[in-house]
Amino acid sequence: MRTTGKSLAAQLVSMIFLCMQLATPTAQADSDSEHIHHPQKAEWPSFGRDYSNQRFAPSTIINRQNVNQLAEAWRFKTGVVGSFQTTPIVANGVMYLSLPYNHVVALDARTGKELWRYEHQRRPEWKMCCGPANRGVAVAYGKVFMGTVDARLIALDARTGKLVWDIDAVDQAVETEGQASLDSKDPNSRAKVSGGTGIGIAMAPIVYKGKVLVGITGVGYGLHIDNPREDAPLGAVIGLAGRYGRPGFIAAFDVDSGKRVWQFDTISPEQWLGQFTVKTADGITLDRDVATEKAQARQHPDAWRYGGGSAWSTPALDTDLGLLYFGTGNPSPQMNDIERPGDNLYTVSLVALDIETGKLRWHYQQVPHDLWGYDLASPPVLFDWQHDGKTIPAVGQASKTGWFYAHDRATGRLLFKSDAFVPQKNLFHKASKEGTTLYPGILGGANWSPVALDAAAGQVYVAAIHAPITYTLHESIDADGKLLRYTSSEPAEEPRWGLLSAINLADGKITWQHKTAQPLVGGVLATAGGLVFTGEGNGNFAAYDSSNGRLLWQAKADAGVNAPAISYEIDGIQYIAVAAGGNAIFGYKQGDSVLVYALGK
């Protein structure tokens, strides 16, 4: 009996231990998810700080009254010069940074001392679509997760930087357009090219309950022609007809193994053509020849296979509804529709998916049959909308067309569209042989820059671009009598500038605007100290009064500040951190610095 008793006791202990082991992943999943959903003041644990993507810091140590005392606390030189778009992640006193070309460093968030460095070995044969920039990592489960320019998803040990796993997010590269398709007499056939269609990952992943969520980009990018001046914006983007690209997607991967859990393709074979609508969902008439498009549909039944729809922006998550929200890119071929008739679903759309399965719940297409490059590039943001005494969970998105859209999170119903936060002209007019100038155009509006939202103040802050763009239709006949046709978009010879706007969430009216000398790309940080931070391509990094837009403080970096700032606290000190590495597409000086500020002594 004694032996049997010991055996039963041993079995009981084993069963308890096994149950604890089985429960650990769920407990860890719940713990990590809760940590990101309700972060501590000391940390910035995810791209948008929490799942709402509000980029709002609750710290008040730095405020309107003392921000003029802000001084550089430390700086870190990465040694990698290139377009620098990262959002630093701060967890457990460590700052994690993704660098251009997907190198990663971990720093002591108090001092900037380097703790470890991961050197990414990029596949040399893989064509980068969109330059070397990466928008950040995700940190959870003792790992650092990052998508790469060569379309891989990797996991590193958060303590050491050692590679844990490395998987291919896509199975193969795609066919890309080239200058050989242009008439030999065309100057663009001999110009230097800086990018084209090609699969990569730009967004910062997010982690939720054991899954890493990330999407691919570049699948409908177009051919990019360099400007001969390094300090000038991109010269031209060319939309060539052809079978280039593929459908984009967003997918969930297991945090432990990298195994794909689910995938949502941004192009729907069944819904690709849509309803051939002649108006946008908010009632604006489109310049479309529906009869011709329907005839073309019979000639190009498989156009959806090359449909584009990149997933540029880090999703927002509603853990109560079990939904994630993200924006999709333009259809492929970019700006050229002769081989892609229809509405081209689900491109240029805000999309809501079931978090657990990746199944579509709803979508809202801002621009059907997009001909201008009006990707939904800025990350969505969650907030509660107060209307007629009711609280409606809402999701907002700052568009490249120049409006901030707000939707019912559960259904996608449009709640309101803001006043235009940038000038608009010839919106949705087609390219012409003589050239049609419109704005916002391909650069935006609100480009990839994330907004910041102060729920207590009832305002969202948008960094935006005024950049007139000329769209030109090019046609010629080659030696074989074949019609060569493409559309180009290039900066017009008109003034450009930036606009930082505060938009009232109650009615969509603009509360205030601050005009900057250069277009704004990089993003916004808001704090409970009544401040809004953003940077400029000329190196200015500034703090504004969130109530009226008045400039309160400004520092100068030696490269463009074209990344979003963050805030964190350690040992009773509030820090503001931002990457200063410029942006090649906009012609902003590139560099390799991370700048961290705190109140001076």
Side-chain angles (χ1 to χ4, degrees), residues 232-291:
L234 191 70
V237 179
I238 291 176
L240 292 170
R243 299 164 76 86
Y244 310 115
R246 55 152 288 167
F249 67 75
I250 190 166
F253 300 85
D254 181 84
V255 296
D256 292 322
S257 65
K259 181 180 178 181
R260 197 179 308 255
V261 179
W262 56 254
Q263 176 174 309
F264 174 81
D265 291 333
T266 57
I267 300 301
S268 169
E270 299 80 15
Q271 303 298 324
W272 166 251
L273 294 175
Q275 302 298 315
F276 291 89
T277 180
V278 296
K279 291 186 176 181
T280 64
D282 51 319
I284 301 174
T285 299
L286 296 168
D287 186 2
R288 291 182 71 174
D289 182 349
V290 169

Side-chain angles (χ1 to χ4, degrees), residues 323 325 350-353 359-364 395 407-413:
L323 297 179
Y325 309 87
L350 182 64
V351 178
L353 304 180
K359 300 297 184 184
L360 178 70
R361 287 288 190 88
W362 57 260
H363 82 280
Y364 182 94
V395 53
H407 304 266
D408 186 309
R409 271 184 240 167
T411 66
R413 176 174 63 95

Side-chain angles (χ1 to χ4, degrees), residues 242-589:
R243 299 164 76 86
Y244 310 115
R246 55 152 288 167
F249 67 75
I250 190 166
F253 300 85
D254 181 84
V255 296
D256 292 322
S257 65
K259 181 180 178 181
R260 197 179 308 255
V261 179
W262 56 254
Q263 176 174 309
F264 174 81
D265 291 333
T266 57
I267 300 301
S268 169
E270 299 80 15
Q271 303 298 324
W272 166 251
L273 294 175
Q275 302 298 315
F276 291 89
T277 180
V278 296
K279 291 186 176 181
T280 64
D282 51 319
I284 301 174
T285 299
L286 296 168
D287 186 2
R288 291 182 71 174
D289 182 349
V290 169
T292 299
E293 284 185 45
K294 288 183 176 179
Q296 290 171 338
R298 293 187 290 272
Q299 301 171 33
H300 304 286
D302 64 343
W304 62 270
R305 295 182 184 275
Y306 313 92
S310 295
W312 290 102
S313 59
T314 298
L317 267 74
D318 184 322
T319 58
D320 292 329
L321 289 175
L323 297 179
L324 70 85
Y325 309 87
F326 74 103
T328 62
N330 57 262
S332 178
Q334 184 174 25
M335 302 183 302
N336 197 324
D337 67 342
I338 61 174
E339 295 182 4
R340 58 162 175 90
D343 297 344
N344 311 140
L345 294 175
Y346 299 103
T347 63
V348 195
S349 297
L350 182 64
V351 178
L353 304 180
D354 183 284
I355 295 173
E356 297 299 331
T357 66
K359 300 297 184 184
L360 178 70
R361 287 288 190 88
W362 57 260
H363 82 280
Y364 182 94
Q365 189 173 39
Q366 287 185 9
V367 186
H369 195 72
D370 172 54
L371 293 171
W372 305 274
Y374 281 137
D375 319 61
L376 269 66
S378 180
V381 59
L382 307 185
F383 62 99
D384 289 333
W385 190 51
Q386 309 298 327
H387 184 69
D388 290 340
K390 298 179 181 178
T391 299
I392 300 174
V395 53
Q397 199 274 331
S399 71
K400 287 177 78 172
T401 56
W403 292 292
F404 180 82
Y405 292 81
H407 304 266
D408 186 309
R409 271 184 240 167
T411 66
R413 176 174 63 95
L414 183 65
L415 301 175
F416 71 84
K417 188 178 76 172
S418 76
D419 288 344
F421 51 76
V422 289
Q424 295 169 324
K425 176 184 177 181
N426 287 336
L427 208 57
F428 307 136
H429 281 227
K430 283 185 177 180
S432 60
K433 292 182 179 180
E434 63 276 11
T436 301
T437 297
L438 59 80
Y439 32 87
I442 195 169
L443 295 180
N447 203 290
W448 72 267
S449 307
V451 304
L453 190 146
D454 184 338
Q459 293 190 140
V460 62
Y461 308 99
V462 181
I465 296 163
H466 171 65
I469 300 292
T470 298
Y471 291 80
T472 306
L473 180 64
H474 300 259
E475 290 184 342
S476 60
I477 304 296
D478 69 8
D480 298 324
K482 180 183 177 182
L483 174 65
L484 302 177
R485 181 179 186 269
Y486 73 89
T487 301
S488 69
S489 64
E490 48 198 325
E493 294 295 327
E494 296 186 25
R496 301 154 24 105
W497 60 78
L499 286 162
L500 177 64
S501 303
I503 298 172
N504 189 310
L505 291 172
D507 56 12
K509 301 296 183 184
I510 292 177
T511 306
W512 55 258
Q513 285 191 312
H514 180 90
K515 185 177 179 180
T516 59
Q518 295 176 312
L520 290 176
V521 62
V524 190
L525 165 70
T527 78
L531 300 171
V532 175
F533 291 86
T534 198
E536 299 178 52
N538 56 16
N540 290 340
F541 179 55
Y544 301 87
D545 188 320
S546 63
S547 65
N548 56 29
R550 185 166 63 92
L551 179 65
L552 299 178
W553 169 86
Q554 186 168 273
K556 186 79 169 182
D558 57 4
V561 182
N562 304 119
I566 68 161
S567 169
Y568 62 97
E569 285 186 27
I570 298 180
D571 300 330
I573 299 173
Q574 182 183 357
Y575 297 92
I576 306 294
V578 70
N583 187 295
I585 288 178
F586 284 80
Y588 296 150
K589 183 181 178 182

